Amino acid sequence: PPSHIRELYIRQCAIRSRCYPPHSTSSFRPPSHTRIHTHTLSWADHHSSTSHLDMIGVRVSSIVRTAAAASRRSPLLFRTFSSPIRAYASTACHTVDLDGYNVQPEDLVCIAQGASAQINDETWARIKDCRQVIDNVVNERRTVYGINTGFGNFAKVRVSPSELVALQENLVRSHASGVGAPLSKEQTRMLLALRINVLAKGFSGIRPETVEKMLSALNKGALPRVPARGSVGASGDLAPLAHLALGLMGEGEMWRTDGTGFAPSADVLSELGLEPITLSAKEGLALINGTQLITSLTAEAVSRASMLEKQACIVASICHEALRGASRPAYRAAVQNLRPHKGQSIVAERMRALLGPTSEIAEHEKSKQKTVQDSYTLRCIPQVHGIAKDTIDFVRDVITTELNSATDNPMVFSEAAGGGVGGITLSGGNFHGEFPAKMADMLAIGVHELASISERRLERLMNPDLSKLPAFLVNAGGLNSGFMIAHCTAAALVSENKGLCHPNSVDTISTSAGQEDHVSMGPIAARNAVQV
């Protein structure tokens, strides 16, 4: 490819690898997966150095370099260009403190990539104090839901002291009824880490030694096989979390240590030098009652969405130049301030930073045409991208709260946590997944709009009547088809997203013999958000 396309390839590869190499291109060879398309770019070689097509290539390199510089100058505008989750590939991740109060979506992504986790002394003390309340209930033989009663519709059944361990073990075994393809190793790491974080908050009544075994399993990579389907997201993500607990008990299956499928959990634990967890009173319930599947998947989705919406602005600015855009005045702060939505203002500021006050293309076109207004896909970038950004930011805030919330039942309050002398247990509904379910639906809709407007810009680029460029950006059309089907692929994905964006959280179905008569369907919403 010509030198400016070669430079673009280098910039794309640099963005993917999170670094910016020297400008030299003398020894560059395009990656093998791009060589198939070099013929579609060859038309640029047949135009003079002053042509619009040649200037596009130069301008593309300039825009990407501007974005790289802007990311260093202003993290608000361009925070990161990193790729989606890749297992054990990040060197920038740190050891994450799981204290039940301060975990961010990016912390879970770091753990997914292989970062280790730890619990501080203050958190261990909270866990210990909370457990003492459960021991008091057992010793005093008080009747408390989830400790010495059945579950769901069996809540009125009293269980004898000699059967408390069997009660918890049977709960995990019976609830491990999920189906379908399993979560990836990265998603399982996020799920396990988030469940530990909830237990570390100190309102679940679990023993410190059980949490310690879970933490060791996370750090050594003992990851149970967790089917992704089977939860309605109401009384927690019961089935997925039960599979998670079952593996830690040495039953069911775990990922092999070499990542090549699954093996019996007992064998994997033994290979890693770990002991299975053994359950005591309330611990089975503490392990499976909560919204961690919905929340961890949505945390993954919102982290990826945050990266995508920044990249979308760079792509949009390149399209603006290639299509001879005249929308610089529309991006001015004076226009945006009259409709002062935060996301709209930030996106407009990005576009101004990327495009600059003018360019060689803009100056070249001034004498050739009198474009008064661009199409909406160029002129309304701040408005459309802006609401997507605001949606992502709103979802991030709610999901961050959910990451650090106690979501099981009953809640256990130690004396230090306001439970009075001896502590108390209170039944509640924090396990209901409506909050993260709604966020997953909103996120999918917001991100879809970025794809939708981008696909429309692709159509304008492919269509010579709209772009005044060679049809499908190829020389010798007919002999070569150019990017004809690349656009069809984009159109197909956008149309598929429309179905995935149907809000799952508006659905409900009664379960557990009418006891759980309203559910969130959050796991379906979260899986769809990740896919979108």
mmCIF file of all heavy atoms in Angstrom, residues 234-273:
data_model
loop_
_atom_site.group_PDB
_atom_site.id
_atom_site.type_symbol
_atom_site.label_atom_id
_atom_site.label_comp_id
_atom_site.label_asym_id
_atom_site.label_seq_id
_atom_site.Cartn_x
_atom_site.Cartn_y
_atom_site.Cartn_z
ATOM 1 N N ALA A 234 -33.568 -12.805 40.059
ATOM 2 C CA ALA A 234 -34.448 -12.270 41.099
ATOM 3 C C ALA A 234 -33.856 -12.551 42.471
ATOM 4 O O ALA A 234 -33.249 -11.704 43.087
ATOM 5 C CB ALA A 234 -35.833 -12.849 40.982
ATOM 6 N N SER A 235 -33.964 -13.785 42.942
ATOM 7 C CA SER A 235 -33.387 -14.116 44.248
ATOM 8 C C SER A 235 -31.893 -14.345 44.063
ATOM 9 O O SER A 235 -31.332 -15.362 44.450
ATOM 10 C CB SER A 235 -34.045 -15.373 44.820
ATOM 11 O OG SER A 235 -33.613 -15.572 46.158
ATOM 12 N N GLY A 236 -31.275 -13.384 43.435
ATOM 13 C CA GLY A 236 -29.874 -13.533 43.072
ATOM 14 C C GLY A 236 -29.732 -14.367 41.810
ATOM 15 O O GLY A 236 -30.701 -14.889 41.265
ATOM 16 N N ASP A 237 -28.497 -14.470 41.354
ATOM 17 C CA ASP A 237 -28.174 -15.331 40.214
ATOM 18 C C ASP A 237 -27.890 -16.731 40.752
ATOM 19 O O ASP A 237 -26.745 -17.195 40.792
ATOM 20 C CB ASP A 237 -26.971 -14.767 39.467
ATOM 21 C CG ASP A 237 -27.289 -13.437 38.802
ATOM 22 O OD1 ASP A 237 -28.348 -13.354 38.150
ATOM 23 O OD2 ASP A 237 -26.497 -12.493 38.937
ATOM 24 N N LEU A 238 -28.947 -17.400 41.167
ATOM 25 C CA LEU A 238 -28.811 -18.621 41.962
ATOM 26 C C LEU A 238 -28.061 -19.729 41.235
ATOM 27 O O LEU A 238 -27.108 -20.301 41.774
ATOM 28 C CB LEU A 238 -30.202 -19.110 42.395
ATOM 29 C CG LEU A 238 -30.961 -18.179 43.348
ATOM 30 C CD1 LEU A 238 -32.381 -18.703 43.578
ATOM 31 C CD2 LEU A 238 -30.231 -18.067 44.689
ATOM 32 N N ALA A 239 -28.490 -20.059 40.022
ATOM 33 C CA ALA A 239 -27.870 -21.192 39.332
ATOM 34 C C ALA A 239 -26.399 -20.941 39.008
ATOM 35 O O ALA A 239 -25.539 -21.782 39.314
ATOM 36 C CB ALA A 239 -28.652 -21.528 38.064
ATOM 37 N N PRO A 240 -26.032 -19.803 38.406
ATOM 38 C CA PRO A 240 -24.606 -19.583 38.121
ATOM 39 C C PRO A 240 -23.741 -19.558 39.373
ATOM 40 O O PRO A 240 -22.651 -20.148 39.399
ATOM 41 C CB PRO A 240 -24.592 -18.231 37.407
ATOM 42 C CG PRO A 240 -25.973 -18.052 36.881
ATOM 43 C CD PRO A 240 -26.872 -18.723 37.868
ATOM 44 N N LEU A 241 -24.207 -18.886 40.409
ATOM 45 C CA LEU A 241 -23.417 -18.818 41.637
ATOM 46 C C LEU A 241 -23.347 -20.175 42.328
ATOM 47 O O LEU A 241 -22.346 -20.491 42.997
ATOM 48 C CB LEU A 241 -23.996 -17.765 42.578
ATOM 49 C CG LEU A 241 -23.795 -16.312 42.118
ATOM 50 C CD1 LEU A 241 -24.558 -15.349 43.013
ATOM 51 C CD2 LEU A 241 -22.309 -15.954 42.107
ATOM 52 N N ALA A 242 -24.378 -21.000 42.169
ATOM 53 C CA ALA A 242 -24.329 -22.349 42.731
ATOM 54 C C ALA A 242 -23.266 -23.184 42.018
ATOM 55 O O ALA A 242 -22.534 -23.952 42.659
ATOM 56 C CB ALA A 242 -25.694 -23.024 42.626
ATOM 57 N N HIS A 243 -23.150 -23.056 40.697
ATOM 58 C CA HIS A 243 -22.087 -23.758 39.981
ATOM 59 C C HIS A 243 -20.715 -23.268 40.432
ATOM 60 O O HIS A 243 -19.773 -24.059 40.534
ATOM 61 C CB HIS A 243 -22.247 -23.549 38.475
ATOM 62 C CG HIS A 243 -23.291 -24.419 37.852
ATOM 63 N ND1 HIS A 243 -23.063 -25.738 37.514
ATOM 64 C CD2 HIS A 243 -24.585 -24.162 37.519
ATOM 65 C CE1 HIS A 243 -24.162 -26.258 36.983
ATOM 66 N NE2 HIS A 243 -25.106 -25.325 36.982
ATOM 67 N N LEU A 244 -20.605 -21.974 40.686
ATOM 68 C CA LEU A 244 -19.343 -21.429 41.179
ATOM 69 C C LEU A 244 -18.984 -22.049 42.519
ATOM 70 O O LEU A 244 -17.845 -22.487 42.741
ATOM 71 C CB LEU A 244 -19.465 -19.908 41.307
ATOM 72 C CG LEU A 244 -18.188 -19.140 41.630
ATOM 73 C CD1 LEU A 244 -17.273 -19.071 40.413
ATOM 74 C CD2 LEU A 244 -18.521 -17.721 42.116
ATOM 75 N N ALA A 245 -19.964 -22.102 43.432
ATOM 76 C CA ALA A 245 -19.716 -22.680 44.758
ATOM 77 C C ALA A 245 -19.462 -24.177 44.678
ATOM 78 O O ALA A 245 -18.615 -24.716 45.401
ATOM 79 C CB ALA A 245 -20.908 -22.384 45.669
ATOM 80 N N LEU A 246 -20.178 -24.852 43.793
ATOM 81 C CA LEU A 246 -20.033 -26.305 43.680
ATOM 82 C C LEU A 246 -18.606 -26.689 43.308
ATOM 83 O O LEU A 246 -18.030 -27.624 43.868
ATOM 84 C CB LEU A 246 -21.012 -26.836 42.626
ATOM 85 C CG LEU A 246 -21.171 -28.350 42.557
ATOM 86 C CD1 LEU A 246 -21.910 -28.872 43.792
ATOM 87 C CD2 LEU A 246 -21.933 -28.744 41.285
ATOM 88 N N GLY A 247 -18.028 -25.969 42.364
ATOM 89 C CA GLY A 247 -16.651 -26.250 41.985
ATOM 90 C C GLY A 247 -15.693 -26.039 43.134
ATOM 91 O O GLY A 247 -14.752 -26.824 43.340
ATOM 92 N N LEU A 248 -15.896 -24.978 43.901
ATOM 93 C CA LEU A 248 -15.025 -24.702 45.044
ATOM 94 C C LEU A 248 -15.181 -25.757 46.131
ATOM 95 O O LEU A 248 -14.271 -25.954 46.954
ATOM 96 C CB LEU A 248 -15.323 -23.306 45.596
ATOM 97 C CG LEU A 248 -15.080 -22.142 44.630
ATOM 98 C CD1 LEU A 248 -15.528 -20.834 45.249
ATOM 99 C CD2 LEU A 248 -13.608 -22.076 44.225
ATOM 100 N N MET A 249 -16.325 -26.430 46.159
ATOM 101 C CA MET A 249 -16.534 -27.533 47.097
ATOM 102 C C MET A 249 -15.840 -28.820 46.637
ATOM 103 O O MET A 249 -15.884 -29.838 47.337
ATOM 104 C CB MET A 249 -18.031 -27.798 47.259
ATOM 105 C CG MET A 249 -18.788 -26.707 48.008
ATOM 106 S SD MET A 249 -20.602 -26.858 47.821
ATOM 107 C CE MET A 249 -20.890 -28.540 48.401
ATOM 108 N N GLY A 250 -15.240 -28.797 45.455
ATOM 109 C CA GLY A 250 -14.583 -29.989 44.933
ATOM 110 C C GLY A 250 -15.506 -30.879 44.136
ATOM 111 O O GLY A 250 -15.156 -32.020 43.817
ATOM 112 N N GLU A 251 -16.689 -30.368 43.785
ATOM 113 C CA GLU A 251 -17.644 -31.119 42.979
ATOM 114 C C GLU A 251 -17.824 -30.409 41.635
ATOM 115 O O GLU A 251 -17.383 -29.278 41.439
ATOM 116 C CB GLU A 251 -18.976 -31.238 43.719
ATOM 117 C CG GLU A 251 -18.828 -31.909 45.084
ATOM 118 C CD GLU A 251 -20.140 -32.013 45.841
ATOM 119 O OE1 GLU A 251 -21.206 -32.029 45.184
ATOM 120 O OE2 GLU A 251 -20.105 -32.065 47.082
ATOM 121 N N GLY A 252 -18.469 -31.069 40.695
ATOM 122 C CA GLY A 252 -18.610 -30.463 39.374
ATOM 123 C C GLY A 252 -17.276 -30.413 38.654
ATOM 124 O O GLY A 252 -16.380 -31.230 38.894
ATOM 125 N N GLU A 253 -17.136 -29.415 37.764
ATOM 126 C CA GLU A 253 -15.940 -29.305 36.935
ATOM 127 C C GLU A 253 -15.298 -27.932 37.080
ATOM 128 O O GLU A 253 -15.956 -26.955 37.438
ATOM 129 C CB GLU A 253 -16.280 -29.555 35.464
ATOM 130 C CG GLU A 253 -16.712 -30.973 35.150
ATOM 131 C CD GLU A 253 -16.985 -31.151 33.669
ATOM 132 O OE1 GLU A 253 -17.599 -30.249 33.062
ATOM 133 O OE2 GLU A 253 -16.576 -32.202 33.118
ATOM 134 N N MET A 254 -13.999 -27.899 36.759
ATOM 135 C CA MET A 254 -13.249 -26.653 36.696
ATOM 136 C C MET A 254 -12.470 -26.594 35.388
ATOM 137 O O MET A 254 -12.240 -27.617 34.750
ATOM 138 C CB MET A 254 -12.256 -26.546 37.864
ATOM 139 C CG MET A 254 -12.850 -26.138 39.193
ATOM 140 S SD MET A 254 -11.553 -25.871 40.427
ATOM 141 C CE MET A 254 -12.521 -25.115 41.731
ATOM 142 N N TRP A 255 -12.092 -25.376 35.014
ATOM 143 C CA TRP A 255 -11.186 -25.228 33.881
ATOM 144 C C TRP A 255 -9.857 -25.905 34.190
ATOM 145 O O TRP A 255 -9.330 -25.785 35.298
ATOM 146 C CB TRP A 255 -10.925 -23.748 33.607
ATOM 147 C CG TRP A 255 -12.073 -23.021 32.966
ATOM 148 C CD1 TRP A 255 -13.096 -22.368 33.605
ATOM 149 C CD2 TRP A 255 -12.297 -22.861 31.563
ATOM 150 N NE1 TRP A 255 -13.959 -21.828 32.686
ATOM 151 C CE2 TRP A 255 -13.488 -22.105 31.425
ATOM 152 C CE3 TRP A 255 -11.615 -23.274 30.418
ATOM 153 C CZ2 TRP A 255 -14.001 -21.750 30.185
ATOM 154 C CZ3 TRP A 255 -12.135 -22.927 29.179
ATOM 155 C CH2 TRP A 255 -13.311 -22.176 29.064
ATOM 156 N N ARG A 256 -9.331 -26.613 33.218
ATOM 157 C CA ARG A 256 -7.989 -27.172 33.380
ATOM 158 C C ARG A 256 -6.982 -26.029 33.533
ATOM 159 O O ARG A 256 -7.176 -24.932 33.009
ATOM 160 C CB ARG A 256 -7.610 -28.022 32.166
ATOM 161 C CG ARG A 256 -8.462 -29.266 31.981
ATOM 162 C CD ARG A 256 -7.983 -30.054 30.765
ATOM 163 N NE ARG A 256 -8.851 -31.185 30.474
ATOM 164 C CZ ARG A 256 -8.725 -32.386 31.045
ATOM 165 N NH1 ARG A 256 -7.735 -32.590 31.922
ATOM 166 N NH2 ARG A 256 -9.546 -33.367 30.740
ATOM 167 N N THR A 257 -5.906 -26.302 34.214
ATOM 168 C CA THR A 257 -4.914 -25.262 34.458
ATOM 169 C C THR A 257 -4.252 -24.778 33.176
ATOM 170 O O THR A 257 -3.757 -23.656 33.112
ATOM 171 C CB THR A 257 -3.838 -25.765 35.437
ATOM 172 O OG1 THR A 257 -3.297 -27.002 34.932
ATOM 173 C CG2 THR A 257 -4.426 -26.005 36.817
ATOM 174 N N ASP A 258 -4.227 -25.627 32.138
ATOM 175 C CA ASP A 258 -3.653 -25.201 30.861
ATOM 176 C C ASP A 258 -4.696 -24.574 29.935
ATOM 177 O O ASP A 258 -4.393 -24.220 28.795
ATOM 178 C CB ASP A 258 -2.971 -26.375 30.151
ATOM 179 C CG ASP A 258 -3.942 -27.522 29.839
ATOM 180 O OD1 ASP A 258 -5.151 -27.382 30.099
ATOM 181 O OD2 ASP A 258 -3.469 -28.570 29.353
ATOM 182 N N GLY A 259 -5.935 -24.428 30.426
ATOM 183 C CA GLY A 259 -6.974 -23.762 29.658
ATOM 184 C C GLY A 259 -7.578 -24.575 28.538
ATOM 185 O O GLY A 259 -8.306 -24.033 27.697
ATOM 186 N N THR A 260 -7.325 -25.889 28.503
ATOM 187 C CA THR A 260 -7.783 -26.726 27.388
ATOM 188 C C THR A 260 -9.030 -27.520 27.736
ATOM 189 O O THR A 260 -9.093 -28.716 27.528
ATOM 190 C CB THR A 260 -6.676 -27.693 26.939
ATOM 191 O OG1 THR A 260 -6.313 -28.527 28.065
ATOM 192 C CG2 THR A 260 -5.453 -26.942 26.461
ATOM 193 N N GLY A 261 -10.025 -26.886 28.271
ATOM 194 C CA GLY A 261 -11.252 -27.599 28.603
ATOM 195 C C GLY A 261 -11.416 -27.770 30.103
ATOM 196 O O GLY A 261 -10.890 -26.984 30.906
ATOM 197 N N PHE A 262 -12.130 -28.833 30.489
ATOM 198 C CA PHE A 262 -12.529 -28.993 31.882
ATOM 199 C C PHE A 262 -12.070 -30.329 32.438
ATOM 200 O O PHE A 262 -11.847 -31.288 31.705
ATOM 201 C CB PHE A 262 -14.050 -28.874 32.001
ATOM 202 C CG PHE A 262 -14.580 -27.564 31.500
ATOM 203 C CD1 PHE A 262 -15.096 -27.454 30.207
ATOM 204 C CD2 PHE A 262 -14.555 -26.436 32.292
ATOM 205 C CE1 PHE A 262 -15.573 -26.251 29.725
ATOM 206 C CE2 PHE A 262 -15.028 -25.226 31.817
ATOM 207 C CZ PHE A 262 -15.533 -25.132 30.539
ATOM 208 N N ALA A 263 -11.946 -30.368 33.765
ATOM 209 C CA ALA A 263 -11.577 -31.576 34.489
ATOM 210 C C ALA A 263 -12.361 -31.575 35.800
ATOM 211 O O ALA A 263 -12.891 -30.536 36.215
ATOM 212 C CB ALA A 263 -10.075 -31.612 34.757
ATOM 213 N N PRO A 264 -12.468 -32.734 36.475
ATOM 214 C CA PRO A 264 -13.148 -32.745 37.768
ATOM 215 C C PRO A 264 -12.549 -31.718 38.723
ATOM 216 O O PRO A 264 -11.324 -31.573 38.812
ATOM 217 C CB PRO A 264 -12.920 -34.183 38.262
ATOM 218 C CG PRO A 264 -12.771 -34.981 37.010
ATOM 219 C CD PRO A 264 -12.043 -34.083 36.055
ATOM 220 N N SER A 265 -13.405 -31.011 39.413
ATOM 221 C CA SER A 265 -12.945 -29.947 40.305
ATOM 222 C C SER A 265 -11.961 -30.454 41.350
ATOM 223 O O SER A 265 -10.971 -29.785 41.664
ATOM 224 C CB SER A 265 -14.142 -29.290 40.989
ATOM 225 O OG SER A 265 -14.972 -28.657 40.062
ATOM 226 N N ALA A 266 -12.213 -31.617 41.894
ATOM 227 C CA ALA A 266 -11.327 -32.164 42.919
ATOM 228 C C ALA A 266 -9.909 -32.342 42.378
ATOM 229 O O ALA A 266 -8.920 -32.077 43.092
ATOM 230 C CB ALA A 266 -11.873 -33.491 43.437
ATOM 231 N N ASP A 267 -9.795 -32.763 41.122
ATOM 232 C CA ASP A 267 -8.466 -32.959 40.529
ATOM 233 C C ASP A 267 -7.756 -31.627 40.326
ATOM 234 O O ASP A 267 -6.539 -31.513 40.570
ATOM 235 C CB ASP A 267 -8.594 -33.689 39.191
ATOM 236 C CG ASP A 267 -9.117 -35.104 39.336
ATOM 237 O OD1 ASP A 267 -9.125 -35.619 40.485
ATOM 238 O OD2 ASP A 267 -9.527 -35.699 38.320
ATOM 239 N N VAL A 268 -8.466 -30.634 39.866
ATOM 240 C CA VAL A 268 -7.847 -29.320 39.627
ATOM 241 C C VAL A 268 -7.403 -28.701 40.942
ATOM 242 O O VAL A 268 -6.291 -28.155 41.047
ATOM 243 C CB VAL A 268 -8.816 -28.396 38.885
ATOM 244 C CG1 VAL A 268 -8.214 -26.994 38.723
ATOM 245 C CG2 VAL A 268 -9.187 -28.975 37.528
ATOM 246 N N LEU A 269 -8.251 -28.770 41.957
ATOM 247 C CA LEU A 269 -7.880 -28.224 43.268
ATOM 248 C C LEU A 269 -6.643 -28.921 43.809
ATOM 249 O O LEU A 269 -5.724 -28.277 44.347
ATOM 250 C CB LEU A 269 -9.049 -28.362 44.243
ATOM 251 C CG LEU A 269 -10.280 -27.477 43.967
ATOM 252 C CD1 LEU A 269 -11.432 -27.862 44.892
ATOM 253 C CD2 LEU A 269 -9.938 -25.996 44.138
ATOM 254 N N SER A 270 -6.599 -30.241 43.671
ATOM 255 C CA SER A 270 -5.443 -30.997 44.154
ATOM 256 C C SER A 270 -4.180 -30.596 43.404
ATOM 257 O O SER A 270 -3.110 -30.421 44.004
ATOM 258 C CB SER A 270 -5.706 -32.499 43.997
ATOM 259 O OG SER A 270 -4.570 -33.248 44.384
ATOM 260 N N GLU A 271 -4.280 -30.434 42.094
ATOM 261 C CA GLU A 271 -3.117 -30.041 41.281
ATOM 262 C C GLU A 271 -2.570 -28.684 41.702
ATOM 263 O O GLU A 271 -1.358 -28.451 41.665
ATOM 264 C CB GLU A 271 -3.517 -30.023 39.809
ATOM 265 C CG GLU A 271 -2.396 -29.654 38.864
ATOM 266 C CD GLU A 271 -2.844 -29.629 37.415
ATOM 267 O OE1 GLU A 271 -3.951 -30.126 37.120
ATOM 268 O OE2 GLU A 271 -2.080 -29.103 36.573
ATOM 269 N N LEU A 272 -3.472 -27.783 42.114
ATOM 270 C CA LEU A 272 -3.061 -26.437 42.522
ATOM 271 C C LEU A 272 -2.727 -26.341 44.002
ATOM 272 O O LEU A 272 -2.382 -25.259 44.498
ATOM 273 C CB LEU A 272 -4.182 -25.444 42.194
ATOM 274 C CG LEU A 272 -4.468 -25.246 40.699
ATOM 275 C CD1 LEU A 272 -5.713 -24.385 40.499
ATOM 276 C CD2 LEU A 272 -3.272 -24.607 40.001
ATOM 277 N N GLY A 273 -2.809 -27.465 44.715
ATOM 278 C CA GLY A 273 -2.492 -27.463 46.144
ATOM 279 C C GLY A 273 -3.532 -26.776 46.996
ATOM 280 O O GLY A 273 -3.201 -26.201 48.046
#
